[in-house]
Amino acid sequence: MRYNRKEIQKEKGNTMSEKKIIGSYADLAPNSAYELVYEEYLGDIKTAGIILRHRKSGARVCLMANDDENKMFCAAFKTPPSNSTGVPHIIEHSVLNGSKNYPSRDPFMALAKSSLQTFLNAMTFPDKTIYPVASCNDKDFRNLMHVYMDSVFYPNIYKSKFTFMQEGWHYELDSADDELRINGVVYSEMKGAMSSPEGIIDDEINLHLQPDTTYGVNSGGDPEVIPELSYEEFLNFHRTFYHPSNSYIFVYGNCDMDERLRFMDEEYLSNFDEIDFRPEIRPQPRWNSKEPRYCRSVYDGGESDDLEGKAFFAFNTMAGSSLDVLEKRACDVLSTVLVNSDFAPVKTALVNAGIGEDIYGGFSGHMLENTFSVIVKNAKEEDLGSFVDIVRDTLAKEVEKGINEKAIRAALNVAEFNFREANYGGFPKGLDYCINILQSWLYDDSAAFTYLHFLDDIEKLKGLIGTGYYEDIVRKYILDSNHTMILTLVPEKGLTDRKNRELAEKLAEYKKGLAPKEIGRIVSEAKALREYQSMPPTEEELNCIPYLERSDISPETVPFFNEEKTVAGVKTVFHDVDTNGITYANLYFDFGKLPHKYVPYAGLLMAVLGRVDTEKRSFEDLSIDISLNTGSLTFEPCIIGKYGAADGYRAFFGIKMRVLSDKVAYAAETSAEILTSSKLDDRTRLKAIIAEVKSEKQREIMFSGSSVAAARTRSYFSKTGCLNEQLGGIEFYQFVSDLLENFDDRYDELKENLIKTKNFIFDPSNAILSLAADETGCRAVEENLPALMGALEGLDREYLGEPEEYVPVCRNEGVIIASRVQYVARSGNMRKAGFKPSGVLNVVKNSVDIDYLYQQIRVKGGAYGCGCSIAADSGNVSFTSFRDPNLKETDEVYSKIGEFVRNYEADETEMTKGVIGAFSKFDRPMSSVQKAARSFAAYISGVTYEDVVRERSEMLGITLEQFRETAAVFDEIYSQGYRCTVGSSKIREVPELFDNIIVLD
Ligand SMILES: [Zn+2]
C-alpha cells in the first residue's frame, strides 16, 4: 500500500485479475453444502470477500481470502440481552470451559498454554458475542478453529452447574455458621469495571438514552442484578441464541478455504437444521420533544469528604443508523473536529469557561443506531446549566459559520494515514475487519462489506467539504434533535461500603429465612464446586487438546535490523525494513544526567509540547497543521534497560515523527518551532493540560491497577523503578495533583522548571537517531536534520546540578482508591540474589500463570486476572492480580509459587505443550514500525541476535529438572518482600502487609 493517487488507481486496475481468486469458491458453491450469496473484491485491503449461506443450518459464512499469514477465525452470534444479569457475558466465559470433543475443564486455558496462537479471546458487545482466534501456523490454526467451533455449539455447560457457578455467580459458605457471601468471575470482573465513574458512564448513558431497546440494559452484567440469573435461564440463553441460524462465521487469511468449509460443514453445521429465529434489534422510539430529559445517577466517591467538583455531565442525543456507512465515517471525523482534539471548539469553549477537567465524547458506534455525547469530568454540579448552553451554542455557531474545513481535512488525513500504515499493534488485521463487518452485517444480511471501502469513502468525504454536508449532520442529530438526554453522575461518599453492607445484610436476612436443610445444601454445593476445581485433570482431559511438536518451532527468529550510520553528523541507528513510503524518524536525547527534582517536569513535557501556542501559531492551528501534514509528531520519554545488568538503564526523550517522505522537512521545522518558541508561560493553558493529565492518570490507576501497583513495587528496590515512578507512576500522579491544587502558588516554579527541563533535555550533544525510511526519506532526513539541530544548539541551557543516583526506599504501601476490588502486587530482583535469567524461565512462567496462578486466583479466588512477569534484561520479577476480590489470600498464593514449581509434575507431552505456548508470546507477526522499535531497543540494551537464539534454544530444550530448579527464584522473590496493593478500603483489614497506607483521590 502506497500513499499517492497513482497507486490507488493501480490497485483498482489490478482488481480484474485478482477477481480470479474468487472463482474457485463461486464454482464450488452450487454442488456444495453452501450457496454463494454474494462476493466482492475488496481492493483497499487486497482481499477477496465471499458471503456464503450454509444450506442446511442457515449459518452465515464470510470468507476473506488474501495473503496474510496471520489467519483468523471468528464465530459470532447476535445476542441482544433483555436484562442486566450479564447472561451473554457469562455464556461467553462459560462455553470455553469444556465441550463435547474437548472435555477438559478449561480448553481455553489449555490453548493459551499450548498453542502458537497470535490471538485467543472472546468478547461480549452490547448486542453480539464474538469468539476470535488467530495463528500463523496452519496446523495450529486448524486446532484452534476446531476447539472454538466445538465450544460454541457443544459446550459442557448442560452437564453440570459448576461452570455457571464459577464463571457467573455462586454462594460461598464454608460452614453453616459462616457469613453467606457471593463470588464468581464475571461478578468480580463487573464489580471492578463498575468501580469507577468512567466505567459506568457509557452504560448509564445508554440506559437513559435508549431505555426501550436492548442497549438500555447492561450486557456485561450489573453486579447487583447478576445474582438474579438462574442456571435454567443461563442454559436457555445458549439454547436459543447459539444456533448456526443465528451465527456469523469468519475465516480470514492465507489458508485452504475449500478444506475449511468442508470441515465446518461435516463436523458441525450439517448437524443442525435451520430454524426461524432472527432476534430483532429495534431502534429507540424518539421522544419527539425539543426539551431534553434530565437524568441523574451516583458513583462511589470513596472515603473522601470533599465531593465538590467531582460530578460528570453528559449531553447526549440519538444519531443515524449504523448502516449509513458514509455518514458514520463523517460522524467519526466530526467527533475529532468538534469534541476530542486540541482544536475542537466544544472542548475549547468548555475549558475556557472552566467547566470540568477533562472533556471527551463524540459519536459512538457498534450499535444499531449511533449516539452522540459530550462528557465532562470533575465538574461542579451548579455548572450543569452553563454546560448544556455552551455545548449547544458552540455547535450552533460552528454550523452557522461553517465548520473549519482545514480541521476536517486534518482529521481525514490522519484517518487515511493510519489506514495505509495498517499498523494494528498486536491485533490481527483479520479481527479488525471482522469487527468492522459486523457493524453493518449484524443488522443487514446484504451489507457485509460496506465498512471495507475505506479509501473511496475518504475521497467522497473530502469532496463533501464545503457543501454543507457536515453542518447538516450536526443540525439533524444534535441541534434539531427531538431526543436529547442530559445525564449528571455524582459521587456518593462510601457508596461501595454502603452497598457491601446492604448486600451483607440482605444475605444474612436471606440466610436467616433458610431451613437448616437448605443451608446444608448451599454448604455442600460450595464444597462440591471447590472439589471440582481442585480435581487434578484426567488423562482424557489432558490429552484432548491437540498440540504442536517442539520440532515445529525453530530457535531462529526475526533478526534485528540495526546499521550504525552517521546522518548529518548525528549518530544514527538505521533499520532496514519496508516502510511503505513512510519515514519513521525518532530523534532521542539522553537525559540520564537530569537532576531528579526535574524528572516529573519531563513527564509533564510529554503532554505540553506541541499543545501550547508557539510564537508563530496558536495551539489549535498547530494541532490542525500537524494532523494535516503528518501521521503524528509527538514528544515522549523512552526508558530502555541494560541487558545483563540488575539495574542499569538509558533514559531518552524522543522527538517521534511518522511522516511521508515529502513531509520530513515540515516535521523537522515544526519540531524546531515547538522546542524553541513554545509559550510555556501560558497560565490558563497549562492549567487545563495538567487537569487533563491528572484525569488520564486517574483512569490509568483505575483500569490498569496491576501495572501501576507492580511499577510501584519496583521503585522500592530498583533505580529504573524510581525513575519510572517519577515520570509517570503514582509519584507522578501525586506531583500533578499537588500542582493542580496549589496552582497559583506553584505557577512560577512550574513555568521555570518546564523551560529549564526542556532546554536541558534537548541537547544535540546527547542525540541519537533511530531511523526507518526508504531512500527518499533518508535523503530528506539528511537534508533537514542540520537546521533542527542548529535550532536546539541555540537553546539557553543552564547548569541544573550534578547528576544523581536513585536510592530506592522500600515503602510496602497499601494505596486506597475508590474501588470495589484489589490489584495485589509483589516484586523482586533475581540477579541481585545471584540468579541469571534464562529461556527456561519463559516456559516456567507460562505454567506458573496458567497451571497455578490462574487456578488459585481466578478460578478459586474469583479475580478477573493474574500473572507473573519476568524481565530478561534486569531480572525483575513481579506477581500481580487484576480486579481481585481478595488481598491476603492472593498474597499467600504468591508465597507458594516456589512450592508449585518444585513439585511440578509433567510428562514429555505436557512439557512440550508448555514450550509451545511460551513461544506464542514471542512469535507474533510484527509490523515494520514494531520491527524497528524492537531493533532499536536491542541496540541500546545490548541484546544480540545470538542472545535471543540462545534463550530460544533454552526454551526449546527445557527438561523437568531444569523446570523445578527455578523454584528457588520464586522463593527468593517472595522473601525479598516488596509489596504494594492498590484497591478498596479492604487494605485496612490487613495492616500486617503494609508499612504505609495512603489514600489517593
Ligand atoms: Zn469477561
Side-chain angles (χ1 to χ4, degrees):
M1 281 174 286
R2 265 171 227 276
Y3 187 84
N4 61 48
R5 265 193 105 70
K6 249 192 241 149
E7 290 292 330
I8 301 175
Q9 309 263 298
K10 215 174 95 195
E11 269 180 42
K12 286 191 182 141
N14 281 341
T15 308
M16 283 319 287
S17 63
E18 300 207 32
K19 271 218 156 151
K20 273 187 208 143
I21 307 172
I22 304 173
S24 60
Y25 311 113
D27 293 346
L28 138 164
N31 302 318
S32 80
Y34 304 84
E35 63 185 345
L36 176 71
V37 184
Y38 49 97
E39 60 184 314
E40 191 178 342
Y41 181 72
L42 305 162
D44 286 359
I45 57 170
K46 299 196 172 81
T47 296
I50 300 120
I51 298 298
L52 304 173
R53 181 183 161 277
H54 185 255
R55 292 173 200 272
K56 183 159 179 288
S57 68
R60 299 169 193 79
V61 177
C62 170
L63 305 180
M64 282 182 277
N66 60 25
D67 60 5
D68 190 347
E69 285 308 326
N70 198 8
K71 298 167 258 292
M72 193 241 16
F73 164 80
C74 178
F77 300 88
K78 196 193 261 189
T79 53
S82 53
N83 57 42
S84 295
T85 57
V87 59
H89 185 190
I90 299 172
I91 293 277
E92 175 237 292
H93 278 237
S94 299
V95 299
L96 293 161
N97 276 279
S99 58
K100 189 168 86 180
N101 292 301
Y102 302 104
S104 142
R105 252 167 306 162
D106 203 340
F108 180 78
M109 290 315 284
L111 288 172
K113 187 185 165 187
S114 65
S115 153
L116 262 189
Q117 46 85 16
T118 55
F119 191 89
L120 177 76
N121 215 331
M123 295 117 140
T124 308
F125 287 74
D127 56 12
K128 59 184 173 269
T129 311
I130 71 172
Y131 296 84
V133 281
S135 178
C136 294
N137 179 296
D138 205 57
K139 186 170 149 197
D140 193 47
F141 181 63
R142 279 176 301 175
N143 291 344
L144 290 166
M145 231 177 115
H146 203 161
V147 177
Y148 262 47
M149 288 286 272
D150 213 59
S151 299
V152 296
F153 291 122
Y154 295 114
N156 279 347
I157 53 174
Y158 297 93
K159 288 193 175 158
S160 89
K161 201 179 159 186
F162 293 132
T163 299
F164 167 72
M165 291 170 69
Q166 173 181 305
E167 298 299 324
W169 73 276
H170 64 273
Y171 287 122
E172 270 185 356
L173 193 62
D174 290 341
S175 75
D177 307 324
D178 276 359
E179 192 188 341
L180 186 64
R181 279 173 300 139
I182 289 178
N183 203 348
V185 175
V186 168
Y187 182 73
S188 301
E189 180 190 341
M190 295 312 293
K191 256 179 148 177
M194 296 180 73
S195 278
S196 72
E198 275 116 339
I200 56 176
I201 193 144
D202 284 343
D203 291 330
E204 289 291 326
I205 289 173
N206 283 323
L207 171 75
H208 295 291
L209 186 66
Q210 311 192 59
D212 307 310
T213 71
T214 191
Y215 306 108
V217 299
N218 189 339
S219 66
D222 179 339
E224 283 175 50
V225 187
I226 289 173
E228 288 172 17
L229 180 68
S230 73
Y231 179 49
E232 213 25 62
E233 285 166 291
F234 162 82
L235 293 181
N236 268 337
F237 194 88
H238 182 268
R239 256 182 222 120
T240 320
F241 288 90
Y242 281 58
H243 188 281
S245 305
N246 188 39
S247 73
Y248 299 77
I249 297 172
F250 297 81
V251 186
Y252 165 93
N254 185 7
C255 64
D256 184 344
M257 295 286 183
D258 281 350
E259 186 271 336
R260 293 288 78 202
L261 284 173
R262 212 173 308 119
F263 158 78
M264 292 199 293
D265 168 52
E266 285 168 9
E267 298 285 331
Y268 293 97
L269 300 178
S270 63
N271 301 343
F272 296 86
D273 289 311
E274 183 167 8
I275 53 166
D276 187 18
F277 175 68
R278 300 271 181 273
E280 210 199 324
I281 299 174
R282 281 187 208 90
Q284 166 65 39
R286 300 301 192 259
W287 298 329
N288 288 323
S289 162
K290 289 277 168 226
E291 279 308 301
R293 274 193 193 179
Y294 284 84
C295 300
R296 194 180 160 88
S297 296
V298 287
Y299 72 88
D300 182 29
E303 295 193 342
S304 170
D305 278 311
D306 181 18
L307 301 178
E308 169 81 7
K310 287 187 181 163
F312 279 60
F313 299 147
F315 175 104
N316 316 281
T317 61
M318 292 300 300
S321 160
S322 177
L323 291 167
D324 189 339
V325 179
L326 191 70
E327 189 183 85
K328 174 65 178 42
R329 292 200 205 285
C331 286
D332 291 341
V333 167
L334 286 170
S335 301
T336 307
V337 170
L338 297 173
V339 186
N340 288 324
S341 60
D342 274 345
F343 49 81
V346 172
K347 188 173 187 171
T348 308
L350 289 167
V351 168
N352 289 346
I355 295 179
E357 292 183 347
D358 195 1
I359 290 120
Y360 61 100
F363 290 89
S364 67
H366 301 287
M367 294 181 287
L368 176 63
E369 295 181 285
N370 306 312
T371 59
F372 173 80
S373 300
V374 178
I375 299 166
V376 161
K377 182 178 164 179
N378 292 348
K380 294 196 188 86
E381 262 201 272
E382 67 259 27
D383 286 339
L384 182 67
S386 332
F387 163 73
V388 175
D389 291 345
I390 291 173
V391 172
R392 274 193 207 266
D393 294 349
T394 310
L395 291 173
K397 250 183 258 161
E398 286 299 309
V399 166
E400 199 185 321
K401 73 173 169 59
I403 298 169
N404 186 339
E405 294 184 5
K406 217 172 149 193
I408 296 177
R409 259 179 233 289
L412 284 169
N413 177 60
V414 170
E416 185 172 353
F417 192 101
N418 291 339
F419 178 80
R420 291 181 184 278
E421 184 186 38
N423 174 23
Y424 293 86
F427 210 65
K429 260 186 224 176
L431 178 54
D432 189 74
Y433 301 149
C434 158
I435 290 173
N436 264 303
I437 286 174
L438 285 169
Q439 285 207 74
S440 54
W441 201 22
L442 197 73
Y443 315 112
D444 181 353
D445 281 343
S446 69
F449 297 125
T450 48
Y451 272 89
L452 298 182
H453 301 130
F454 189 83
L455 295 174
D456 276 351
D457 285 351
I458 291 285
E459 285 308 309
K460 280 186 202 150
L461 287 174
K462 284 181 189 166
L464 288 165
I465 296 175
T467 63
Y469 173 75
Y470 294 93
E471 289 78 6
D472 277 347
I473 291 177
V474 176
R475 207 175 286 123
K476 186 164 55 167
Y477 295 129
I478 309 173
L479 297 175
D480 296 345
S481 164
N482 57 5
H483 191 98
T484 304
M485 189 275 292
I486 315 290
L487 176 71
T488 311
L489 193 61
V490 291
E492 179 186 320
K493 185 187 171 185
L495 178 69
T496 299
D497 291 342
R498 178 167 66 79
K499 280 191 174 167
N500 286 343
R501 254 192 333 270
E502 281 170 7
L503 178 65
E505 280 162 23
K506 198 174 136 193
L507 288 172
E509 200 57 36
Y510 171 73
K511 194 182 155 204
K512 245 191 258 165
L514 292 175
K517 210 172 101 192
E518 286 166 312
I519 293 183
R521 190 181 49 81
I522 294 180
V523 172
S524 63
E525 262 190 12
K527 189 163 163 250
L529 174 63
R530 270 194 312 279
E531 277 166 7
Y532 167 79
Q533 290 167 336
S534 308
M535 255 184 329
T538 63
E539 274 302 296
E540 190 199 15
E541 284 183 1
L542 279 178
N543 297 327
C544 67
I545 304 285
Y547 63 98
L548 303 180
E549 298 295 335
R550 294 194 202 197
S551 55
D552 288 323
I553 290 176
S554 158
E556 300 293 324
T557 182
V558 183
F560 294 129
F561 302 90
N562 288 326
E563 270 170 57
E564 291 182 350
K565 279 188 179 180
T566 304
V567 175
V570 178
K571 183 174 180 185
T572 299
V573 187
F574 175 71
H575 317 292
D576 189 9
V577 293
D578 180 13
T579 64
N580 283 323
I582 297 174
T583 295
Y584 299 96
N586 297 337
L587 188 55
Y588 287 111
F589 298 83
D590 189 324
F591 71 97
K593 293 189 175 129
L594 181 71
H596 296 163
K597 75 176 256 210
Y598 299 98
V599 172
Y601 293 93
L604 209 49
L605 277 175
M606 172 165 62
V608 170
L609 292 173
R611 302 188 57 216
V612 292
D613 296 353
T614 64
E615 273 161 24
K616 273 205 243 154
R617 291 179 271 189
S618 71
F619 74 86
E620 288 100 335
D621 287 342
L622 184 64
S623 177
I624 291 178
D625 283 348
I626 290 175
S627 297
L628 202 51
N629 288 289
T630 72
S632 62
L633 172 61
T634 55
F635 302 83
E636 45 190 274
C638 165
I639 312 299
I640 298 174
K642 280 211 186 104
Y643 188 72
D647 201 3
Y649 64 85
R650 294 282 300 276
F652 295 103
F653 211 100
I655 305 176
K656 302 181 78 172
M657 312 173 187
R658 272 165 75 233
V659 288
L660 296 175
S661 303
D662 61 345
K663 294 290 186 183
V664 169
Y666 173 87
E669 278 162 30
T670 305
S671 300
E673 178 188 335
I674 289 170
L675 290 171
T676 58
S677 78
S678 279
K679 294 186 180 162
L680 295 176
D681 54 357
D682 180 340
R683 204 179 178 115
T684 324
R685 183 66 188 147
L686 282 182
K687 193 170 178 186
I689 291 176
I690 292 171
E692 223 179 270
V693 171
K694 181 186 167 187
S695 156
E696 267 159 33
K697 281 286 148 192
Q698 229 168 21
R699 206 167 7 227
E700 191 185 322
I701 295 171
M702 203 52 103
F703 287 93
S704 321
S706 329
S707 358
V708 172
R712 187 70 170 178
T713 54
R714 290 193 286 271
S715 76
Y716 300 159
F717 61 88
S718 129
K719 295 172 193 162
T720 322
C722 294
L723 172 67
N724 281 320
E725 266 298 297
Q726 276 203 299
L727 264 181
I730 288 176
E731 189 174 338
F732 178 72
Y733 175 76
Q734 289 170 320
F735 163 79
V736 170
S737 298
D738 185 65
L739 266 184
L740 202 58
E741 214 161 290
N742 305 296
F743 192 79
D744 292 331
D745 294 343
R746 295 192 59 182
Y747 169 70
D748 288 329
E749 168 200 353
L750 165 70
K751 172 185 73 182
E752 277 166 33
N753 287 345
L754 278 177
I755 295 170
K756 282 184 196 167
T757 308
K758 171 186 68 90
N759 293 355
F760 181 95
I761 290 176
F762 294 97
D763 178 347
S765 63
N766 294 328
I768 180 167
L769 175 68
S770 160
L771 178 66
D774 58 15
E775 262 185 64
T776 327
C778 289
R779 224 174 307 121
V781 172
E782 180 107 46
E783 281 160 18
N784 290 287
L785 205 51
L788 172 58
M789 289 308 224
L792 298 181
E793 204 64 71
L795 286 175
D796 183 16
R797 264 175 279 281
E798 58 183 286
Y799 176 73
L800 297 184
E802 284 300 296
E804 301 164 90
E805 284 272 330
Y806 282 103
V807 184
V809 179
C810 175
R811 293 198 184 90
N812 288 347
E813 289 150 307
V815 182
I816 298 180
I817 57 170
S819 170
R820 296 197 227 179
V821 286
Q822 274 66 248
Y823 304 90
V824 184
R826 259 209 193 239
S827 299
N829 186 283
M830 71 168 100
R831 276 191 199 276
K832 285 184 183 158
F835 296 99
K836 257 172 88 182
S838 110
V840 166
L841 275 164
N842 296 329
V843 181
V844 178
K845 172 203 145 46
N846 191 27
S847 279
V848 167
D849 278 352
I850 291 168
D851 297 331
Y852 181 69
L853 293 177
Y854 184 89
Q855 297 303 324
Q856 302 298 322
I857 294 176
R858 174 157 160 149
V859 174
K860 290 188 191 159
Y864 181 42
C866 51
C868 89
S869 71
I870 302 173
D873 50 2
S874 59
N876 286 341
V877 179
S878 298
F879 315 131
T880 52
S881 71
F882 186 74
R883 293 186 188 164
D884 188 348
N886 301 313
L887 202 180
K888 202 177 169 195
E889 296 81 353
T890 298
D891 194 67
E892 273 163 26
V893 171
Y894 297 156
S895 73
K896 294 186 186 127
I897 300 178
E899 196 181 311
F900 162 79
V901 173
R902 196 170 298 110
N903 299 320
Y904 188 70
E905 283 296 343
D907 58 12
E908 174 50 27
T909 310
E910 269 314 289
M911 285 303 287
T912 295
K913 286 182 185 172
V915 170
I916 307 292
F919 269 97
S920 75
K921 277 106 202 154
F922 293 86
D923 286 357
R924 303 207 161 171
M926 283 180 277
S927 63
S928 303
V929 61
Q930 286 173 309
K931 282 179 196 160
R934 166 179 176 265
S935 301
F936 182 72
Y939 176 86
I940 296 296
S941 73
V943 187
T944 63
Y945 181 72
E946 289 66 37
D947 292 325
V948 177
V949 172
R950 178 181 38 78
E951 249 186 54
R952 291 172 64 96
S953 305
E954 286 163 354
M955 286 170 74
L956 275 176
I958 185 173
T959 64
L960 186 58
E961 278 79 4
Q962 286 174 333
F963 187 108
R964 290 178 177 163
E965 274 166 18
T966 64
V969 172
F970 296 94
D971 290 341
E972 168 64 24
I973 298 300
Y974 188 84
S975 69
Q976 287 182 4
Y978 302 107
R979 53 196 181 262
C980 171
T981 292
V982 172
S984 76
S985 55
K986 194 176 188 125
I987 285 171
R988 295 195 201 281
E989 295 168 19
V990 272
E992 67 273 21
L993 270 183
F994 306 108
D995 301 337
N996 297 291
I997 291 181
I998 54 175
V999 178
L1000 286 191
D1001 59 9

